[in-house]
């Protein structure tokens, strides 16, 4: 019966310390989402495969975890059929929170109040090859508003970014672009049809450099002249206003491009008015891979820690179209909890009290002392202070070790002498200081 | 492309209102767990099937959701093999939180501090036939301490029960029994070998009645005389002390039985000392089906709402044995969030403010007014008040409807006149009252 237990590759156990830190991140993010009036939503872990397939490209389809039909899955199938996943699996684990959100909005459109503001913090699953920082089960923290084209939504999302990372203590820069501008650029160089190719190539600018991007564009069928036309746009410099002014000239013939510029100007104007303490930069090389974006796109990076983007998103005009509800514009962003965790660990940003679950441990010195401790424990807990008693009257050393290993900051000792005097010895485990405190004063003293 | 979207049977979407109520339950439970020094733990949604199989009986094995191996699952299999789930699936979704917890403790025993106190709030999946109140995906809220036999743990768990349901406003009764007493009873009627049969039969006492239980016991191989001996024990009456005194006589020849009685007496003594405001009753008909319990067993029912047990658990002496770590005693309970939700909905126990995500809506009356609103919104959010502005300057009626449908209690109106005067009209949506409030006073006024 005995076996060396393990977990599937690419999955993780989260220890109490990791969990307390993760909850701190989730609670912070959730708290900010709530401040902005977003309400929680949860969808099932499993969706019908018909909901998921074809939404993430061929590569994505392969990465879906499929769930074997219950009962005798092979009963009525011939030998060929039983070799087809589509015959033996009807359900799959969700791959992201966006498609289930779109499915939900379409399915429940009659009950929802639009604009519909929701956040969703749930795990997603991908059968990707596991590697450092890439897992087969990980959480996404999405926030979206759907059913309005108002640019105030973009502004609020940027405010949310600022507020979340300020609360977490992570210095960040937000890069922003607009798909309409990217379309305008494609139009301006005479290749409106190749907007996605150009976008995908531009997306790699930071990773592979200007020359390689140019080479890739040539490969994708752009002629040399068009690629040359693109270069000055990629090398645009100056502040946001200067870049936009320059772009306005270059894209003067593209109605869509001008619309994109106008949207950016509006957002920047709001941000200035709100005096947001956040570096928001127009970055034309920002494209983001997801092809449902149609307006603003965002990406957030940590300034003091080298890691990919820790938050990103954008506006989409037809996410729900795939489920039969066209022309419903929305905008959203997603926080990458795992990377945020890595940044905070790397920069040691977790507050001290996030690392301990118990604030006060009562040492257990026997039955009579226990009784006094139990009554004081009740008072502490009534006051909202996490406290516990060591469950056995073991050796003092063992109990103190327990407190140390669990990072419990205060230990209360009630021995026979203390019991007689009605006082407890309260030890500060960080400083080593000890003091006698009357039973009636313990709650106040710990607080 | 368009398709009528739906979700797999037995699964659920949780709307914002449902989610806010569910989060209220989870947050309450989690808050109490924390007060008692329990730390959070999470394990992966998928476990190796070798971890899960054989732990829940044959019936349980059938109810596991299995995950199809990624890539070409059928590639190297012959036609027979591809019809065997064990060949095409290595992983399954967790069926409960107990087995993954045991697996975690064994796998990480070297890193853990014992007694190890953890709570775990995560979904589990069962391929059960869906029916009213039974889902294929549902949450469990487990709290366990492992690595000590101290009965203080039982007492703390009972305190947790009392505190959780007091916080939620649900009046409950806790029934308690002890497997050692049940063993003692089996011994006393001369059938120590049939303890599980007797236990399972007794478990059905409330459901099927005394006569049917007796019939079932005869079926399970007990002779009439033994069944007759059992009857007075099942009909035991009086308060806990009276029942225990009577039992002590009947079980005087069973060492295990007497140990169980002593354990119960100890727990009751602590509870009395703690003056717990909770009805805790010794109920010999309480057996609970799970066969890993070896000591105390608990079950909690709501007093004012007819539904099964909403919380239950017990002590186990060898949960981790199946993974090669024997003799590690623990005790835990599990809260049934779905049933608690049903009780609270049925009795209308959710506090009013749990039903709204936004406290203040600013009506949007145009660009200039918007600017003033945005600045006030910032102040409200800085003060921790969830607030939003309607993103478009739509008709007043539409915006008020939005506030109503989302149960937003306060609406702030800033029109051109208000803007000039530096005051806002604050409308209490519940009473209909309106009053003018100076911009600088809005935060205070809403608070």
């Amino acid at each position: 019966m005995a076996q060396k237990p393990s977990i599937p590759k690419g999955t993780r156990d989260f220890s109490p310390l990791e969990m307390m830190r993760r909850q701190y991140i989730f609670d912070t993010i959730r708290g900010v989402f709530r401040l902005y009036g977003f309400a929680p939503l949860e969808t099932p872990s499993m969706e019908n495969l018909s909901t998921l397939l074809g939404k993430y490209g061929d590569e994505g389809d392969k990465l879906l975890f499929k769930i074997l039909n219950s009962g005798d899955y092979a009963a009525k199938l011939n030998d060929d059929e039983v070799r087809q996943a589509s015959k033996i699996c009807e359900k799959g684990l969700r791959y992201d929170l966006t498609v289930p959100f779109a499915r939900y909005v379409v399915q429940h459109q009659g009950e929802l109040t639009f604009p519909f503001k929701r956040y969703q913090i749930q795990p997603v699953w991908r059968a990707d090859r596991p590697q450092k920082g890439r897992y087969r089960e990980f959480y996404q923290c999405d926030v979206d508003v759907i059913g309005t084209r108002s640019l105030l939504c973009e502004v609020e999302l940027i405010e949310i970014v600022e507020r979340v990372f300020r609360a977490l203590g992570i210095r960040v820069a937000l890069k922003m672009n607009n798909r309409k501008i990217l379309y305008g650029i494609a139009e301006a160089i005479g290749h409106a049809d190749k907007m996605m190719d150009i976008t995908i190539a531009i997306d790699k600018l930071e990773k592979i450099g200007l020359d390689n991007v140019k080479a890739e564009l040539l490969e994708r069928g752009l002629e040399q002249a068009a690629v040359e036309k693109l270069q000055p746009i990629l090398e645009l410099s100056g502040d946001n206003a200067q870049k936009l002014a320059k772009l306005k000239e270059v894209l003067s013939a593209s109605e869509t491009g001008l619309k994109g510029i106008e949207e950016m100007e509006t957002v920047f104007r709001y941000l200035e008015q709100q005096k947001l303490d956040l570096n928001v930069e127009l970055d034309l090389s920002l494209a983001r891979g997801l092809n449902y974006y149609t307006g603003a796109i965002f990406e957030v990076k940590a300034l003091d820690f080298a890691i990919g983007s820790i938050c990103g998103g954008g506006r989409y005009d037809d996410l729900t179209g795939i489920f039969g509800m066209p022309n419903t514009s929305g905008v959203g962003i997603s926080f990458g909890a795992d990377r945020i965790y890595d940044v905070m660990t790397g920069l040691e940003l977790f507050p001290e009290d996030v690392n301990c679950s118990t604030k006060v441990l009562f040492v257990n010195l026997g039955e009579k002392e226990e009784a006094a401790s139990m009554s004081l424990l009740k008072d502490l807990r009534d006051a909202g202070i996490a406290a516990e008693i060591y469950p056995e009257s073991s050796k003092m050393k063992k109990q103190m070790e327990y407190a140390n290993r669990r990072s419990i900051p205060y230990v209360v000792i009630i021995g026979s002498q203390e019991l007689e005097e009605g006082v407890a010895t309260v030890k500060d485990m960080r400083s080593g200081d000890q003091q006698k405190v009357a039973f009636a004063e313990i709650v106040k003293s710990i607080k």
Side-chain angles (χ1 to χ4, degrees), chain A:
Chain A
M1 198 77 181
Q3 43 189 309
K4 168 81 187 139
S6 65
I7 52 176
K9 63 178 178 181
T11 69
R12 292 167 289 173
D13 285 319
F14 294 113
S15 72
L17 179 60
E18 288 166 322
M19 275 304 296
M20 289 186 284
R21 293 174 162 191
R22 286 171 67 84
Q23 284 184 345
Y24 173 72
I25 293 171
F26 290 131
D27 288 347
T28 302
I29 292 173
R30 184 185 292 121
V32 175
F33 289 169
R34 281 183 183 158
L35 272 188
Y36 283 78
F38 288 86
L41 176 74
E42 279 189 13
T43 60
S45 299
M46 32 182 100
E47 294 274 351
N48 292 320
L49 276 175
S50 56
T51 299
L52 301 175
L53 285 167
K55 309 304 187 298
Y56 307 105
D58 290 347
E59 203 45 46
D61 282 355
K62 282 187 204 145
L63 300 184
L64 292 175
F65 277 112
K66 300 177 187 72
I67 294 163
L68 192 66
N69 291 342
S70 321
D72 190 354
Y73 64 94
K76 290 176 182 164
L77 302 180
N78 66 35
D79 289 344
D80 269 350
E81 288 169 335
V82 84
R83 291 174 182 275
Q84 298 167 39
S86 63
K87 300 281 184 193
I88 62 173
C89 299
E90 277 170 9
K91 298 177 287 292
L93 294 178
R94 72 174 157 253
Y95 180 89
D96 69 1
L97 303 179
T98 307
V99 166
F101 171 56
R103 191 266 309 145
Y104 176 85
V105 168
V106 175
Q107 191 177 335
H108 297 271
Q109 54 188 292
E111 311 143 34
L112 302 181
T113 307
F114 292 98
F116 180 56
K117 299 173 79 170
R118 84 86 173 82
Y119 71 86
Q120 195 168 350
I121 300 180
Q122 289 190 280
V124 301
W125 295 269
R126 297 180 185 179
D128 242 324
R129 189 135 44 127
Q131 51 177 258
K132 190 179 159 15
R134 192 202 280 163
Y135 304 102
R136 292 185 146 192
E137 174 177 46
F138 58 96
Y139 271 76
Q140 291 191 335
C141 311
D142 280 21
V143 59
D144 288 84
V145 48
I146 194 163
T148 171
R149 293 177 191 276
S150 166
L151 295 168
L152 272 181
C153 302
E154 274 83 341
V155 175
E156 285 209 330
L157 291 178
I158 295 170
E159 284 190 38
I160 285 175
V161 166
E162 191 275 331
R163 219 178 259 267
V164 164
F165 290 112
R166 173 153 50 92
L168 294 175
I170 302 176
R171 298 199 314 131
V172 298
L174 187 146
K175 288 185 176 185
M176 203 177 158
N177 198 0
N178 192 302
R179 277 282 169 91
K180 294 190 179 76
I181 294 179
L182 290 172
Y183 178 81
I185 292 171
E187 261 195 336
I189 65 168
H191 276 286
D193 59 315
K194 289 224 179 310
M195 187 238 176
M196 276 316 294
D197 294 280
I198 296 170
T199 298
I200 289 165
I202 291 178
D203 196 17
K204 301 184 181 168
L205 192 61
E206 205 172 328
K207 260 190 215 154
I208 64 174
L210 188 61
D211 287 345
N212 288 317
V213 165
K214 283 160 73 176
E216 186 165 329
L217 286 168
L218 290 171
E219 252 173 61
R220 284 173 184 270
L222 263 71
E223 64 278 14
Q224 188 68 36
V227 173
E228 293 306 325
K229 264 196 218 162
L230 195 58
Q231 177 151 350
I233 292 177
L234 295 180
E235 292 178 331
L236 218 60
S237 64
D239 64 18
N240 295 333
Q242 288 168 324
K243 285 181 188 169
L244 286 173
K246 179 85 189 180
L247 268 176
K248 228 183 242 179
E249 291 171 27
V250 185
L251 305 185
S252 60
S254 163
E255 199 185 323
T256 306
L258 291 176
K259 182 83 173 63
I261 293 169
E262 191 197 317
E263 288 180 8
M264 292 290 284
E265 285 174 337
T266 305
V267 170
F268 285 137
R269 196 172 57 243
Y270 275 118
L271 292 178
E272 222 160 274
Q273 185 187 296
Q274 288 290 85
K275 297 184 187 62
L276 210 64
D277 186 19
L278 176 71
N279 177 5
V280 180
E281 188 199 343
L282 166 61
D283 182 349
L284 287 180
S285 77
L286 175 67
R288 294 187 67 80
L290 290 167
N291 59 17
Y292 49 70
Y293 290 134
T294 51
I297 41 184
F298 313 98
E299 196 163 273
V300 181
K301 287 196 171 169
L303 292 178
D304 307 314
F305 196 80
I307 203 166
S309 74
I310 54 180
C311 175
R315 179 172 284 278
Y316 40 83
D317 281 341
D318 199 25
L319 190 62
T320 53
I322 41 172
F323 296 114
M325 179 183 168
N327 301 322
T328 310
S329 188
V331 58
I333 53 171
S334 182
F335 287 81
D338 285 297
R339 284 188 176 171
I340 292 173
Y341 183 94
D342 289 344
V343 172
M344 294 193 64
T345 304
L347 299 176
E348 297 182 14
L349 293 177
F350 288 106
E352 188 59 39
D353 66 348
V354 168
N355 301 322
C356 69
S357 50
T358 296
K359 201 162 178 195
V360 185
L361 174 76
F362 282 73
V363 167
N364 192 328
L365 295 171
E367 220 170 287
K368 271 194 195 144
E369 293 85 352
E370 209 179 70
S373 300
M374 297 275 288
S375 151
L376 292 171
L377 270 172
K378 188 171 177 300
D379 297 339
L380 282 167
R381 289 162 176 162
D382 283 344
I385 297 167
E388 60 181 291
I389 181 167
Y390 195 84
E392 299 166 7
S393 54
S394 310
K395 281 192 183 139
M396 184 66 133
K397 184 160 173 267
K398 190 175 173 189
Q399 300 191 42
M400 295 305 271
E401 236 174 62
Y402 175 86
N404 263 325
R405 292 193 58 177
R406 291 198 54 206
S407 308
I408 298 175
Y410 298 101
V411 167
V412 175
I413 302 159
I414 302 178
S416 54
Q417 202 193 322
E418 278 96 346
L419 199 57
E420 221 166 85
E421 296 171 18
V423 296
T425 301
V426 178
K427 179 167 183 176
D428 182 325
M429 296 295 280
R430 283 175 286 210
S431 67
D433 292 348
Q434 286 193 185
Q435 60 179 111
K436 299 248 180 189
V437 180
F439 285 172
E441 298 294 314
I442 283 194
V443 172
K444 216 171 67 186
S445 139
I446 299 283
K447 266 203 157 154

